[in-house]
Amino acid sequence: MTKQPSKSELAGRFVQLLALAAVLLSAGCAHYPPNMPLDRHDPAYGYRFTNLASPDKADDMLVVVTFSGGGTRAAAMAYGVLEHLANTEVTRKGKPRRLLDEVDIISSVSGGSFTSAYYALYGDRIFSDFESRFLKRDVQGELTRKMLAPVNLARASSPKFGRIDLVAEYLDDEIFHHGAYGDLVTRGRRPFVTINASDMSLGTRFEFTQDQFDLLCSDLSSFPLARAVAASSAVPIVFSPLTVRNYSGKCGYQEPAAQHVGEENRGASSRQVYKAAEVRSYLDSGARPYIHLLDGGITDNIGLRGMLDQVAAHDNPLNLARAMRLERFHKAVLIIVNAETAPDLSLDRREEVPTVTQVFRAIKDIPINRYSFETIELLKANFEGWARQMRSQKSGGEQADGAEEEFDFYLVEVTFDAIKDPAERNSFRRIPTSYTLSADTVDRLRALGPRLIKESNDYQRLLLDLRRN
């Protein structure tokens, strides 16, 4: 005979059900943590390139590194390149230095943002614990378990709290330990790390810098790095967009003269006019009180568009250098770490109708890869022209013989396309975009970056020129 529960037992179960209902009800009202407003705009405040010191004020060489998207695959290859730069010694002003210490800017997207943000926050600590804390960890499995927890399923059902907010919580607790942009300002040293996301409404690049947040009258200092990395990695459909509030019009922000570009300005390029319209859209908080952000790979999967936009906004690279207080530099080094994979042609060997997942991957990856290719080609087309401009404008007629001042650009590409052996190249191209890879795969990617960077002719030319100097 089945024993009936007593009245006290029934009461206890009732209390437990009430408690569970209360938890689920409060979870359903969850809200993303808002970014903070900026009381008063100050162009000298916050996380900006000009607020981070260069080692020994060695501003005669600008080194920019970009890390592409691609999940742990991209993060591991980026990590290998950082390791190589840390192990490469050069002489600067008569002193031996690591090439890594000469890096001024890192621009990153999606998977590459995990590496860049960790290095920005922890510096050389990355070489002792990044593998265990992220690269060789089942991040994807842990995220899945977090999202499927009943209380988090309820929280994610809230209209003001999405799956990407759960991702940001996980990254904040497990990877970045509540580090914020104010910590990077306090650290006060380069590299200046630009984490890139995409504005869902405009389809344009959105960067986590105080310059961008000035437009929103928002203070980036208290913004968690974890939320920036989550936004940069918010793959559409898989994750929800990450939302930031727009407080524009409340902090006394004045649009710089360089942004006052309109169709009536005949000297302005179409790109400048378009960019000015994009910037102004953020200045109307009545029309856009909330900005929704997605994966940075949608608008720039290799982290290069920011540099191209900046050069266009300042008309030429010398004006940009002056704005960055780099008038003295005569060497510019750009290292592109690109872990993009090739299109999957296996579908074309089957007659069956592609699945929804396969279609999603195609419409996501193919435009991104083509846009990345066009971006790199645009950069290469402008590279030598920029060098000529810099040589000519920096001379400025000051030298009696009219000779141009020395100026050199170095373009270093670290990409799967540079792998000479077809079988090995295809092997790396088949590594999935995931946040869980085997330890062996991580080690292969980590070793590949240094090998490819050493095979670059421009990189060897750079090392030779630095030894001569």
Side-chain angles (χ1 to χ4, degrees):
M1 181 174 177
T2 304
K3 180 182 178 182
Q4 297 295 319
S6 66
K7 290 183 178 180
S8 61
E9 289 174 330
L10 287 172
R13 291 178 188 178
F14 182 69
V15 170
Q16 289 176 341
L17 287 173
L18 283 178
L20 178 61
V23 169
L24 293 177
L25 181 63
S26 63
C29 299
H31 196 292
Y32 66 89
N35 49 302
M36 294 294 102
L38 187 65
D39 293 331
R40 180 180 61 85
H41 172 245
D42 179 356
Y45 167 80
Y47 189 64
R48 308 176 197 270
F49 177 80
T50 51
N51 286 342
L52 302 185
S54 170
D56 298 330
K57 297 183 178 180
D59 284 336
D60 57 335
M61 181 172 71
L62 176 68
V63 181
V64 179
V65 181
T66 71
F67 294 153
S68 79
T72 300
R73 182 186 68 241
M77 196 154 86
Y79 175 70
V81 169
L82 287 185
E83 275 191 313
H84 173 75
L85 296 178
N87 294 326
T88 301
E89 186 177 284
V90 296
T91 301
R92 303 283 287 137
K93 295 188 174 182
K95 299 179 182 178
R97 296 188 57 81
R98 304 184 309 172
L99 190 52
L100 179 59
D101 296 325
E102 300 300 314
V103 175
D104 298 287
I105 298 171
I106 299 177
S107 176
S108 63
V109 184
S110 195
S113 292
F114 286 85
T115 306
S116 69
Y118 202 90
Y119 181 61
L121 184 62
Y122 295 120
D124 280 2
R125 172 177 154 181
I126 193 173
F127 302 122
S128 62
D129 64 7
F130 188 59
E131 278 191 308
S132 60
R133 288 189 178 276
F134 178 73
L135 292 178
K136 294 184 177 179
R137 184 172 181 174
D138 183 13
V139 171
Q140 193 155 302
E142 292 177 19
L143 275 173
T144 300
R145 288 188 287 275
K146 179 180 177 71
M147 289 183 177
L148 293 179
V151 67
N152 287 331
L153 285 172
R155 293 172 73 205
S157 69
S158 167
K160 297 179 181 178
F161 187 91
R163 295 183 302 280
I164 198 62
D165 297 303
L166 292 173
V167 173
E169 281 185 355
Y170 169 84
L171 298 180
D172 207 26
D173 292 338
E174 300 294 332
I175 310 295
F176 297 105
H177 300 100
H178 313 293
Y181 275 90
D183 298 317
L184 305 189
V185 177
T186 300
R187 191 166 181 252
R189 293 190 55 148
R190 298 178 193 169
F192 178 68
V193 170
T194 302
I195 294 174
N196 297 282
S198 299
D199 184 317
M200 188 179 78
S201 297
L202 297 183
T204 54
R205 191 179 58 84
F206 183 100
E207 63 181 36
F208 287 89
T209 64
Q210 187 57 53
D211 287 319
Q212 178 87 58
F213 271 54
D214 282 347
L215 303 176
L216 311 180
C217 278
S218 181
D219 189 350
L220 183 63
S221 294
S222 60
F223 198 86
L225 280 163
R227 286 188 69 76
V229 174
S232 185
S233 310
V235 177
I237 302 178
V238 178
F239 299 119
S240 56
L242 185 139
T243 301
V244 294
R245 290 185 178 180
N246 186 357
Y247 306 98
S248 62
K250 300 177 182 178
C251 66
Y253 174 79
Q254 296 296 317
E255 190 178 3
Q259 292 176 4
H260 285 285
V261 175
E263 294 181 0
E264 70 280 0
N265 298 95
R266 295 184 179 180
S269 69
S270 58
R271 285 187 67 204
Q272 288 174 313
V273 172
Y274 184 84
K275 185 65 179 177
E278 173 196 326
V279 166
R280 291 192 190 114
S281 77
Y282 293 111
L283 303 181
D284 186 354
S285 58
R288 304 190 71 196
Y290 304 99
I291 310 299
H292 304 290
L293 305 175
L294 285 169
D295 189 339
I298 298 171
T299 50
D300 177 19
N301 200 42
I302 48 178
L304 274 177
R305 299 300 301 195
M307 187 179 70
L308 293 171
D309 289 344
Q310 287 290 341
V311 173
H314 290 83
D315 294 320
N316 63 62
L318 184 59
N319 288 343
L320 174 59
R322 288 169 176 158
M324 296 171 68
R325 302 175 192 169
L326 293 172
E327 296 92 339
R328 297 188 300 109
F329 88 115
H330 61 266
K331 279 183 172 61
V333 184
L334 176 58
I335 301 174
I336 302 171
V337 184
N338 184 2
E340 286 184 346
T341 56
D344 181 8
L345 303 181
S346 63
L347 295 176
D348 300 332
R349 295 193 291 272
R350 296 195 294 270
E351 186 179 11
E352 292 82 4
V353 175
T355 65
V356 172
T357 301
Q358 290 167 335
V359 172
F360 169 70
R361 288 183 60 186
I363 62 176
K364 177 178 71 73
D365 293 342
I366 292 173
I368 286 174
N369 291 348
R370 290 203 173 276
Y371 189 58
S372 297
F373 172 78
E374 295 295 338
T375 299
I376 292 175
E377 291 304 302
L378 178 62
L379 175 75
K380 290 177 179 177
N382 284 288
F383 225 54
E384 187 52 41
W386 291 344
R388 285 195 299 269
Q389 280 183 306
M390 293 292 288
R391 294 182 192 112
S392 177
Q393 293 179 13
K394 284 171 72 69
S395 298
E398 297 173 4
Q399 299 181 40
D401 58 3
E404 290 184 342
E405 184 174 323
E406 178 188 357
F407 189 87
D408 287 304
F409 266 123
Y410 306 82
L411 176 59
V412 181
E413 290 186 79
V414 181
T415 173
F416 294 152
D417 289 341
I419 301 174
K420 296 180 175 62
D421 180 67
E424 184 187 21
R425 183 166 61 245
N426 290 333
S427 173
F428 277 103
R429 282 176 169 174
R430 286 195 293 267
I431 297 174
T433 300
S434 166
Y435 285 109
T436 299
L437 294 177
S438 68
D440 177 66
T441 301
V442 168
D443 289 339
R444 288 172 59 217
L445 287 159
R446 174 183 171 186
L448 180 66
R451 194 185 94 199
L452 294 180
I453 197 172
K454 286 188 286 188
E455 291 175 359
S456 165
N457 291 333
D458 263 23
Y459 181 70
Q460 293 302 326
R461 180 168 64 89
L462 170 66
L463 296 182
L464 183 61
D465 289 348
L466 290 176
R467 292 189 191 106
R468 288 172 177 167
N469 295 338

